[in-house]
Amino acid sequence: MDLLMVSSVLIGVIAFCIILGVPLAVSIVAGSLAAIFAHGGANPVIAPQRLFAGMDSFSLMAIPAFLLGGALMSRGGISERLIAFANALVGRFSGGLAISNVLSAVMFGGISGSAVADTSAIGGTFIPAMKKAGFPAAYSVGITAASSPISPLIPPSIAWIVYAYITDQSVMRLFLAGVVPGMLWAAALIFAAWLVARRNSYPVQPAAGASELWRTFVIALPALAMPFLLIGGILSAMFTVTEASVILVVYALLVSGLVYRELSWRILWESITSAVRLTAAVMLILAGASLFAWMLAWVHAPETFGAWIRSW
């Protein structure tokens, strides 16, 4: 009876809050607190303890650094160089801008590890450019929305760090496991973008010459080298994933400030505030999930549902 009552209160309050437009993290915490008071046998003091425990992990320190690195690349000129190289490489094909969109998501994802950073950097550049070139708005937005989630698959990835923390798995193994699915996703999107563009006779960009291709490659090389630096350092045990996230920030500062010379105090401040907001959102959800999981364990929900499933 406790399980039925607590589960109903827990899920009901969360669903009600989400329908009202309450942020997800606050909805989860509100539902968990309502379930604690509805049960009566749990001490409400456990709530702040579990909320803190959900964020108290050394491995989670990599999240704000990766987000800051992604924000710096988005605003510091790195993403523009990657996009220019991708355009020069595949712009000559049918749907070249869309294919370039996907390739940029792969390259940018291997650096920032965040779909949010990827979408803000690539979408803000590609969607207006594709619409101006004559591509339909729905096609431009659709390919961007479909390619941006590649970022959490390509290492380094914030999603893998969070998953490794929750499930107590190896972050490095999860990083390596995401490479093949990410590349398969990218290949499927490239083929679909080319096929749709060819069937609808979408515009084709002029082919870039060998000199233009080489020039954009050389300019983008510092950004292209970043994923190899991070993954190579982690695989060779030179530094951990958390240390790699800090190295990413330092590298992004050096490349944006000294190589591309586009870093300013305003850009630095905007990058920091963006990373702080995104980090707070992720951490609050993790804290709420910790309390949510504890409440389910308190009423033995996993064992009860497991026994019910086994009985069938």
Side-chain angles (χ1 to χ4, degrees):
M1 187 63 185
D2 282 345
L3 174 60
L4 181 60
M5 179 189 68
V6 171
S7 300
S8 300
V9 172
L10 185 65
I11 297 174
V13 172
I14 292 177
F16 180 72
C17 290
I18 292 176
I19 291 173
L20 291 180
V22 178
L24 180 60
V26 179
S27 300
I28 295 174
V29 174
S32 302
L33 286 173
I36 288 175
F37 287 110
H39 185 271
N43 190 343
V45 176
I46 197 67
Q49 295 175 351
R50 294 310 309 170
L51 290 173
F52 178 78
M55 299 181 287
D56 185 23
S57 173
F58 178 77
S59 60
L60 294 180
M61 291 177 63
I63 294 177
F66 275 127
L67 287 173
L68 177 57
L72 287 170
M73 287 182 292
S74 174
R75 294 171 169 83
I78 295 178
S79 59
E80 285 83 354
R81 271 70 179 187
L82 291 175
I83 291 171
F85 171 62
N87 277 333
L89 188 63
V90 298
R92 69 193 70 187
F93 302 109
S94 295
L97 275 175
I99 298 174
S100 176
N101 191 325
V102 178
L103 287 181
S104 299
V106 172
M107 292 186 292
F108 199 75
I111 300 172
S112 71
S114 168
V116 176
D118 189 357
T119 306
S120 62
I122 294 177
T125 301
F126 268 104
I127 293 176
M130 291 178 68
K131 291 169 64 178
K132 185 177 180 180
F135 290 92
Y139 179 77
S140 307
V141 174
I143 194 67
T144 304
S147 64
S148 295
I150 295 176
S151 293
L153 288 176
I154 304 294
S157 170
I158 295 171
W160 292 137
I161 296 172
V162 173
Y163 186 85
Y165 162 70
I166 294 174
T167 60
D168 195 23
Q169 299 295 318
S170 167
V171 177
M172 196 61 235
R173 288 186 178 184
L174 290 173
F175 276 6
L176 295 176
V179 174
V180 174
M183 293 304 175
L184 289 175
W185 188 338
L189 280 178
I190 288 173
F191 177 74
W194 171 83
L195 186 62
V196 172
R198 187 176 179 84
R199 285 181 175 178
N200 293 277
S201 301
Y202 289 157
V204 179
Q205 288 184 297
S211 60
E212 176 67 14
L213 183 60
W214 175 253
R215 185 186 68 83
T216 55
F217 171 73
V218 171
I219 294 175
L221 190 58
L224 293 171
M226 197 180 299
F228 299 99
L229 170 67
L230 295 179
I231 301 301
I234 295 172
L235 288 175
S236 62
M238 291 180 61
F239 41 77
T240 65
V241 174
T242 304
E243 292 165 346
S245 65
V246 179
I247 291 174
L248 169 65
V249 174
V250 175
Y251 191 90
L253 286 171
L254 293 176
V255 172
S256 300
L258 299 181
V259 179
Y260 297 146
R261 298 183 178 276
E262 292 194 15
L263 186 64
S264 63
W265 289 111
R266 180 182 61 83
I267 290 176
L268 180 60
W269 175 251
E270 290 176 352
S271 301
I272 292 174
T273 53
S274 173
V276 167
R277 290 192 184 98
L278 290 174
T279 301
V282 173
M283 289 300 184
L284 285 173
I285 291 175
L286 284 174
S290 175
L291 179 60
F292 178 85
W294 178 88
M295 194 62 226
L296 291 179
W298 174 260
V299 294
H300 305 290
E303 297 90 335
T304 304
F305 284 118
W308 178 78
I309 292 173
R310 284 194 300 270
S311 69
W312 285 91

